[in-house]
Amino acid sequence: MKVIEVHQSVYAINDEIAEETRRQLKESKTFMVNLMASPGAGKTSTLLKTIEALKADYKIGVMEADIDATVDAEIMAKAGVGSIQVHTGGECAMDAEMTAQAIEEFQATQYDILFMENVGNLVCPAETDTGASRNVAILSIPEGDDKPLKYPLMFQVCQAVLINKIDTREYFDFDDAAVVERIHDLNPDAKVFFISAKTGEGFEEWIQWLTGCIDSWNA
């Protein structure tokens, strides 16, 4: 039997590219948010509501990542938001090299805030560093409060978790306290915000946290 000793992380090259991306973003004072969630959790609607709250004070761009189609980029364009569609070539998430290429093609450092709406799932996007300033996950009420138990890495790598669709609470058996406890068991420093992209409830606290992070990034 042959034993191979691996002394370098298989993600080492990805991590190097991610760190260089972060350095360039900070140098240009561009704050990048890697937004991750399952399909249907409300990434695009949450993003639109967030942009509405920020657009008077910041120049905002969006990179829409999908395996195929241009649906979300078209939605952003109709909303008057600078956007680019990124096709991942069948990959289930963006990695650092894809992100760096998209940033260069998009000339994304012209923006104050750059949102990347990652491919929709709770597994692959959590596995690779994209070079984002902050990672944010969205978990919707209909998905259930057990998702931190089933997909722990997603909640470990995020600095904030948005619990979306709180306007549907009456229709689902979702335990607010349990989901917060489960997230904090995995990541004690994660901020958890309960929001509704439909009604706008909870967005004030989320926006306040986000703008605080942007101010710190640019300090």
Side-chain angles (χ1 to χ4, degrees):
M1 180 181 67
K2 185 177 182 180
V3 178
I4 300 174
E5 298 288 346
V6 178
H7 298 286
Q8 187 178 36
S9 167
V10 294
Y11 294 111
I13 295 175
N14 184 89
D15 292 347
E16 288 174 11
I17 297 171
E19 282 302 320
E20 176 59 19
T21 294
R22 245 187 305 276
R23 186 195 67 75
Q24 292 177 4
L25 290 170
K26 191 164 182 63
E27 188 177 83
S28 66
K29 294 187 180 297
T30 300
F31 186 86
M32 178 176 160
V33 178
N34 178 20
L35 190 62
M36 300 176 282
S38 299
K43 291 193 301 298
T44 304
S45 57
T46 297
L47 190 48
L48 286 169
K49 185 75 72 175
T50 299
I51 291 170
E52 183 66 28
L54 296 170
K55 67 180 183 181
D57 299 312
Y58 300 95
K59 188 175 182 183
I60 301 170
V62 177
M63 297 195 304
E64 294 287 355
D66 283 297
I67 292 173
D68 206 343
T70 59
V71 175
D72 292 336
E74 290 170 11
I75 291 172
M76 291 297 159
K78 287 179 182 178
V81 181
S83 62
I84 187 174
Q85 183 71 53
V86 182
H87 287 161
T88 62
E91 297 297 324
C92 59
M94 292 286 284
D95 62 19
E97 185 173 2
M98 292 179 196
T99 303
Q101 290 176 2
I103 287 172
E104 182 177 3
E105 184 73 22
F106 191 31
Q107 298 181 337
T109 52
Q110 68 181 298
Y111 296 103
D112 302 314
I113 309 173
L114 178 63
F115 289 100
M116 180 168 69
E117 186 174 346
N118 216 318
V119 180
N121 70 88
L122 290 177
V123 181
C124 305
E127 295 177 343
T128 53
D129 188 354
T130 61
S133 311
R134 297 289 187 276
N135 292 321
V136 176
I138 300 176
L139 173 65
S140 65
I141 295 292
E143 292 175 85
D145 53 46
D146 61 349
K147 293 304 173 287
L149 301 175
K150 294 183 175 182
Y151 306 99
L153 184 59
M154 175 59 71
F155 299 92
Q156 288 170 337
V157 303
C158 287
Q159 287 77 44
V161 179
L162 308 181
I163 310 297
N164 189 28
K165 303 187 182 182
I166 58 174
D167 52 291
T168 68
R169 274 190 180 120
E170 63 180 296
Y171 304 108
F172 298 95
D173 185 15
F174 190 98
D175 190 324
D176 291 5
V179 79
V180 172
E181 182 179 357
R182 288 163 181 167
I183 292 168
H184 284 160
D185 282 346
L186 295 166
N187 184 352
D189 296 325
K191 301 297 183 182
V192 182
F193 301 97
F194 288 83
I195 66 166
S196 168
K198 182 177 181 178
T199 69
E201 184 179 354
F203 267 76
E204 184 176 348
E205 294 83 0
W206 151 239
I207 296 298
Q208 185 176 17
W209 177 83
L210 183 57
T211 54
C213 291
I214 295 168
D215 290 343
S216 296
W217 183 256
N218 292 333

